[in-house]
Amino acid sequence: MLALMTISARYVCSRCGTGSSVSSATWCCPSCRGPWDLDFTAAPVPLARLAGRAGSLWRYEEALPLADPSCSLGEGRTPLVRLTDTVSAKLDFLMPTLSFKDRGAVMLAELARRLEPRRVIADSSGNAGTAVAAYCARAGLDCTVYVPEGTAPGKLEQISAHGARLTRVPGGREATARAARAAAGEPGTFYASHVFNPYFLHGTKTYVYELWEDLGGRLPDTLVVPVGNGTLLLGAALATAELYAHGLVPARPALVAVQARAVAPLAEAFHAGADELLAPASSPAPAPSSTPAPVRSTLAEGIAIPNPPRAAQILRAVRESGGTFLTVTEDEIRTAQLDLAARGLFVEPTGVACWAAITAAPRPGTAVVPLCGAGAKTGLARSRAT
């Protein structure tokens, strides 16, 4: 049974406004099955007093809904390096599990540790599952990770090495998510969903707090972010809104979202002026967000999400920032990976998408791209996607 531990923050449905106690461990809105947001107000982070704090994302304690973690692995505080006169890269592949997903996974594991479930489950195409497995190991939590049958062997090995059980699901990312959600309602289960649980977003927002600190209380003109389920983009939107509301930045940067052209449902909806995902081409009317879009293959497997549950939030966040969506081809992904490797940075194909996009379509002013996952996880992008 889940412990009856009280946590002051509350979940609020992002679609219909229904509320729930975080201690209930309900993984989605019981009324409409929408993903949760968090009823939490961040306090201002004192830039001048950060120097003596822990060298991890927990240094921004005023902005986080959990404090005093026991399962931290020192995640965060990744380097910011210049690639050109106007574009810098945040090296988030230098996290403990070699991807940016550690930012959110540590929040989920810390929350689960306090709720004391019988088991934790997660679903992932690789990086999120690896991160959840590692932090559950750190927290002493039983963990099962659902993965698509075609997940890269290196990622499977990494998940297993942390002691998590693997459940391979026939089909792609959508089938894997459905299998995990079917198991999420079992008694004593905490669903460590990087998509549905907003604690993950409050972890990823530290990416922007770090940029703000590294740039001396400023932010770049543009934040270029890869988008599949949108967890880094929505975290960035949270952080920029908080920093602006507290008067800590004079303006909010534009959010430029990047998708692989082969799987770009959000980019297509954005450029069509839609507030939700578009229907498949054969449908005469827009389909509800629960209708899966056709799936094609792409080297950028981490953002190959045909039906992101937070689609409306992602589209709204990009529009409100004055940003846009860009797409990249498979050849551009390959070229970008080799280009970064020639600069000393070996990054997996998903992680190079933003560099590919900003190289093909430069933005005015300064920009930062995240290099999200290490190249050792998947190797070079050699095979041609269809």
Side-chain angles (χ1 to χ4, degrees):
M1 296 292 292
L2 292 168
L4 297 178
M5 178 177 181
T6 300
I7 296 177
S8 58
R10 285 183 58 80
Y11 291 138
V12 179
C13 179
S14 63
R15 294 177 185 167
C16 72
T18 296
S20 175
S21 167
V22 170
S23 300
S24 72
T26 304
W27 67 268
C28 72
C29 173
S31 299
C32 72
R33 306 284 286 181
W36 292 124
D37 286 338
L38 196 64
D39 184 8
F40 166 76
T41 301
V45 173
L47 181 64
R49 297 205 300 270
L50 292 178
R53 294 188 178 183
S56 71
L57 61 81
W58 299 94
R59 68 199 281 111
Y60 311 110
E61 58 186 3
E62 292 86 354
L64 297 175
L66 295 173
D68 302 319
S70 67
C71 65
S72 174
L73 291 167
E75 57 288 330
R77 300 300 292 140
T78 55
L80 181 67
V81 300
R82 180 166 290 187
L83 296 178
T84 71
D85 288 343
T86 58
V87 180
S88 296
K90 182 96 165 118
L91 309 192
D92 259 23
F93 67 90
L94 298 179
M95 289 280 192
T97 76
L98 308 182
S99 92
F100 87 95
K101 296 289 177 64
D102 289 8
R103 294 185 184 276
V106 68
M107 298 293 289
L108 295 183
E110 182 62 26
L111 176 60
R113 185 190 68 80
R114 300 181 189 202
L115 294 176
E116 299 180 353
R118 179 174 56 83
R119 66 168 185 163
V120 174
I121 66 170
D123 61 280
S124 169
S125 60
N127 285 339
T130 296
V132 170
Y135 285 96
C136 281
R138 180 74 165 174
L141 295 165
D142 183 273
C143 181
T144 298
V145 180
Y146 290 71
V147 296
E149 58 185 354
T151 299
K155 293 180 179 179
L156 297 178
E157 184 177 11
Q158 195 177 6
I159 292 169
S160 296
H162 293 306
R165 285 181 293 277
L166 280 167
T167 298
R168 294 176 175 84
V169 179
R173 190 65 186 83
E174 291 289 297
T176 303
R178 288 194 296 270
R181 292 167 196 167
E186 295 178 9
T189 298
F190 178 86
Y191 182 25
S193 173
H194 59 293
V195 181
F196 279 81
N197 194 303
Y199 277 85
F200 195 93
L201 306 182
H202 283 270
T204 61
K205 76 181 181 183
T206 59
Y207 171 87
V208 169
Y209 275 94
E210 289 180 19
L211 291 177
W212 170 73
E213 181 182 0
D214 290 341
L215 295 173
R218 299 180 295 107
L219 288 175
D221 299 305
T222 302
L223 294 172
V224 190
V225 187
V227 174
N229 276 309
T231 55
L232 183 55
L233 183 138
L234 291 173
L238 273 173
T240 56
E242 290 168 359
L243 289 166
Y244 182 71
H246 293 310
L248 297 175
V249 292
R252 297 168 65 176
L255 297 174
V256 172
V258 178
Q259 295 205 286
R261 193 164 299 171
V263 186
L266 289 160
E268 291 164 6
F270 180 88
H271 291 298
D275 296 327
E276 264 287 4
L277 298 183
L278 301 176
S282 60
S283 176
S289 60
S290 59
T291 301
V295 181
R296 295 171 61 195
S297 177
T298 175
L299 296 164
E301 60 183 9
I303 53 174
I305 309 297
N307 190 43
R310 294 186 184 270
Q313 288 179 283
I314 296 166
L315 293 166
R316 184 167 61 250
V318 173
R319 287 197 176 99
E320 289 178 352
S321 77
T324 190
F325 271 82
L326 301 175
T327 61
V328 291
T329 67
E330 304 304 295
D331 285 343
E332 287 171 334
I333 290 170
R334 288 189 195 85
T335 299
Q337 189 185 35
L338 291 173
D339 180 65
L340 284 174
R343 298 168 185 260
L345 303 167
F346 186 34
V347 185
E348 67 177 352
T350 300
V352 306
C354 290
W355 177 237
I358 202 68
T359 301
R363 297 277 300 185
T366 57
V368 172
V369 300
L371 304 185
C372 298
K377 286 174 171 280
T378 56
L380 285 172
R382 297 184 185 278
S383 60
R384 179 172 294 276
T386 56

